[in-house]
Short mmCIF file of all heavy atoms in Angstrom, two decimals:
data_model
loop_
_atom_site.label_atom_id
_atom_site.label_comp_id
_atom_site.label_asym_id
_atom_site.label_seq_id
_atom_site.Cartn_x
_atom_site.Cartn_y
_atom_site.Cartn_z
N ARG A 537 -62.78 21.81 50.46
CA ARG A 537 -62.81 23.02 49.63
C ARG A 537 -63.34 22.77 48.23
O ARG A 537 -63.52 23.71 47.47
CB ARG A 537 -61.39 23.60 49.54
CG ARG A 537 -60.87 24.21 50.82
CD ARG A 537 -61.40 25.61 51.00
NE ARG A 537 -60.90 26.48 49.94
CZ ARG A 537 -61.56 27.53 49.46
NH1 ARG A 537 -62.74 27.85 49.93
NH2 ARG A 537 -61.03 28.27 48.51
N LEU A 538 -63.60 21.52 47.86
CA LEU A 538 -63.91 21.22 46.46
C LEU A 538 -65.16 21.96 45.98
O LEU A 538 -65.15 22.56 44.90
CB LEU A 538 -64.08 19.71 46.27
CG LEU A 538 -64.45 19.28 44.84
CD1 LEU A 538 -63.38 19.71 43.85
CD2 LEU A 538 -64.68 17.77 44.77
N ASP A 539 -66.23 21.94 46.75
CA ASP A 539 -67.46 22.58 46.28
C ASP A 539 -67.26 24.06 46.02
O ASP A 539 -67.74 24.60 45.01
CB ASP A 539 -68.57 22.37 47.32
CG ASP A 539 -69.16 20.97 47.24
OD1 ASP A 539 -68.96 20.30 46.21
OD2 ASP A 539 -69.80 20.54 48.21
N GLU A 540 -66.55 24.73 46.92
CA GLU A 540 -66.32 26.17 46.73
C GLU A 540 -65.44 26.43 45.51
O GLU A 540 -65.70 27.35 44.73
CB GLU A 540 -65.68 26.76 47.98
CG GLU A 540 -65.55 28.28 47.93
CD GLU A 540 -65.09 28.87 49.25
OE1 GLU A 540 -65.13 28.16 50.27
OE2 GLU A 540 -64.66 30.04 49.23
N VAL A 541 -64.41 25.59 45.33
CA VAL A 541 -63.53 25.75 44.18
C VAL A 541 -64.30 25.51 42.89
O VAL A 541 -64.13 26.22 41.89
CB VAL A 541 -62.32 24.78 44.29
CG1 VAL A 541 -61.53 24.75 42.98
CG2 VAL A 541 -61.41 25.19 45.44
N LEU A 542 -65.19 24.51 42.89
CA LEU A 542 -65.99 24.24 41.70
C LEU A 542 -66.96 25.39 41.41
O LEU A 542 -67.18 25.74 40.25
CB LEU A 542 -66.77 22.94 41.88
CG LEU A 542 -65.95 21.65 41.82
CD1 LEU A 542 -66.83 20.45 42.16
CD2 LEU A 542 -65.31 21.47 40.45
N ARG A 543 -67.54 25.98 42.45
CA ARG A 543 -68.43 27.12 42.23
C ARG A 543 -67.67 28.29 41.60
O ARG A 543 -68.16 28.94 40.68
CB ARG A 543 -69.06 27.55 43.56
CG ARG A 543 -70.31 26.77 43.92
CD ARG A 543 -71.07 27.44 45.05
NE ARG A 543 -70.31 27.40 46.30
CZ ARG A 543 -70.38 26.40 47.17
NH1 ARG A 543 -71.16 25.36 46.93
NH2 ARG A 543 -69.67 26.44 48.29
N GLU A 544 -66.43 28.52 42.09
CA GLU A 544 -65.63 29.60 41.52
C GLU A 544 -65.31 29.33 40.06
O GLU A 544 -65.35 30.22 39.21
CB GLU A 544 -64.35 29.77 42.33
CG GLU A 544 -64.58 30.28 43.75
CD GLU A 544 -63.31 30.25 44.59
OE1 GLU A 544 -62.27 29.78 44.07
OE2 GLU A 544 -63.35 30.67 45.75
N ALA A 545 -65.00 28.06 39.76
CA ALA A 545 -64.70 27.70 38.37
C ALA A 545 -65.94 27.85 37.50
O ALA A 545 -65.88 28.32 36.36
CB ALA A 545 -64.18 26.27 38.30
N GLY A 546 -67.10 27.45 38.04
CA GLY A 546 -68.33 27.55 37.27
C GLY A 546 -68.72 28.98 36.97
O GLY A 546 -69.27 29.28 35.90
N GLN A 547 -68.43 29.88 37.89
CA GLN A 547 -68.77 31.29 37.67
C GLN A 547 -67.96 31.90 36.54
O GLN A 547 -68.39 32.87 35.90
CB GLN A 547 -68.54 32.08 38.96
CG GLN A 547 -69.52 31.74 40.07
CD GLN A 547 -69.13 32.32 41.42
OE1 GLN A 547 -68.10 32.98 41.54
NE2 GLN A 547 -69.95 32.06 42.44
N LYS A 548 -66.79 31.33 36.24
CA LYS A 548 -65.94 31.87 35.17
C LYS A 548 -66.30 31.28 33.80
O LYS A 548 -65.78 31.74 32.78
CB LYS A 548 -64.47 31.58 35.48
CG LYS A 548 -63.95 32.30 36.73
CD LYS A 548 -62.50 31.95 36.98
CE LYS A 548 -61.97 32.68 38.22
NZ LYS A 548 -60.55 32.36 38.50
N SER A 549 -67.13 30.25 33.78
CA SER A 549 -67.51 29.63 32.51
C SER A 549 -68.69 30.38 31.92
O SER A 549 -69.68 30.62 32.60
CB SER A 549 -67.89 28.16 32.75
OG SER A 549 -66.78 27.44 33.26
N ARG A 550 -68.55 30.73 30.68
CA ARG A 550 -69.62 31.47 30.03
C ARG A 550 -70.68 30.51 29.48
O ARG A 550 -70.40 29.36 29.18
CB ARG A 550 -69.06 32.31 28.87
CG ARG A 550 -68.01 33.32 29.31
CD ARG A 550 -67.75 34.32 28.21
NE ARG A 550 -67.37 33.69 26.96
CZ ARG A 550 -66.11 33.37 26.65
NH1 ARG A 550 -65.15 33.60 27.51
NH2 ARG A 550 -65.84 32.83 25.48
N ALA A 551 -71.87 31.00 29.31
CA ALA A 551 -72.97 30.18 28.79
C ALA A 551 -73.10 30.41 27.30
O ALA A 551 -74.11 30.91 26.80
CB ALA A 551 -74.27 30.53 29.50
N GLY A 552 -72.07 30.05 26.53
CA GLY A 552 -72.14 30.26 25.09
C GLY A 552 -72.15 28.97 24.31
O GLY A 552 -71.99 28.95 23.09
N ALA A 553 -72.33 27.85 25.02
CA ALA A 553 -72.26 26.56 24.37
C ALA A 553 -73.36 26.41 23.32
O ALA A 553 -74.49 26.81 23.52
CB ALA A 553 -72.38 25.46 25.42
N GLY A 554 -73.00 25.82 22.21
CA GLY A 554 -73.98 25.50 21.18
C GLY A 554 -74.19 26.61 20.16
O GLY A 554 -74.94 26.43 19.21
N GLU A 555 -73.56 27.75 20.34
CA GLU A 555 -73.76 28.87 19.43
C GLU A 555 -72.67 28.87 18.35
O GLU A 555 -71.56 28.44 18.58
CB GLU A 555 -73.73 30.18 20.21
CG GLU A 555 -74.82 30.29 21.28
CD GLU A 555 -74.67 31.55 22.12
OE1 GLU A 555 -73.71 32.30 21.88
OE2 GLU A 555 -75.51 31.77 23.00
N GLY A 556 -72.99 29.39 17.18
CA GLY A 556 -72.01 29.55 16.13
C GLY A 556 -71.82 28.30 15.30
O GLY A 556 -72.27 27.21 15.64
N GLN A 557 -71.14 28.49 14.15
CA GLN A 557 -70.87 27.39 13.25
C GLN A 557 -69.60 26.65 13.67
O GLN A 557 -68.67 27.25 14.20
CB GLN A 557 -70.70 27.93 11.83
CG GLN A 557 -71.96 28.54 11.24
CD GLN A 557 -73.08 27.52 11.14
OE1 GLN A 557 -72.87 26.41 10.65
NE2 GLN A 557 -74.26 27.89 11.62
N PRO A 558 -69.55 25.33 13.43
CA PRO A 558 -68.31 24.59 13.72
C PRO A 558 -67.16 25.14 12.89
O PRO A 558 -67.34 25.58 11.75
CB PRO A 558 -68.66 23.16 13.31
CG PRO A 558 -70.15 23.10 13.31
CD PRO A 558 -70.62 24.47 12.92
N ARG A 559 -65.96 25.09 13.49
CA ARG A 559 -64.77 25.60 12.82
C ARG A 559 -63.72 24.50 12.75
O ARG A 559 -63.53 23.74 13.70
CB ARG A 559 -64.20 26.80 13.60
CG ARG A 559 -65.05 28.06 13.46
CD ARG A 559 -64.87 29.05 14.61
NE ARG A 559 -63.52 29.21 15.07
CZ ARG A 559 -62.64 30.15 14.66
NH1 ARG A 559 -63.01 31.04 13.74
NH2 ARG A 559 -61.44 30.23 15.17
N LEU A 560 -63.04 24.44 11.61
CA LEU A 560 -61.99 23.44 11.40
C LEU A 560 -60.63 24.11 11.45
O LEU A 560 -60.37 25.09 10.73
CB LEU A 560 -62.17 22.76 10.05
CG LEU A 560 -63.10 21.56 9.96
CD1 LEU A 560 -63.09 20.99 8.55
CD2 LEU A 560 -62.72 20.48 10.96
N HIS A 561 -59.76 23.59 12.31
CA HIS A 561 -58.37 24.04 12.40
C HIS A 561 -57.48 22.89 11.92
O HIS A 561 -57.70 21.74 12.30
CB HIS A 561 -58.02 24.42 13.84
CG HIS A 561 -58.99 25.37 14.45
ND1 HIS A 561 -58.94 26.73 14.25
CD2 HIS A 561 -60.08 25.15 15.25
CE1 HIS A 561 -59.93 27.31 14.91
NE2 HIS A 561 -60.65 26.38 15.51
N VAL A 562 -56.50 23.20 11.11
CA VAL A 562 -55.67 22.17 10.50
C VAL A 562 -54.22 22.36 10.93
O VAL A 562 -53.70 23.48 10.89
CB VAL A 562 -55.78 22.22 8.95
CG1 VAL A 562 -54.77 21.30 8.30
CG2 VAL A 562 -57.19 21.84 8.53
#
Side-chain angles (χ1 to χ4, degrees):
R537 289 279 295 150
L538 179 60
D539 282 342
E540 186 172 345
V541 170
L542 288 174
R543 275 193 293 271
E544 293 172 358
Q547 290 169 0
K548 295 179 180 180
S549 298
R550 300 194 304 273
E555 299 175 358
Q557 294 299 312
R559 287 156 41 94
L560 274 182
H561 309 278
V562 171

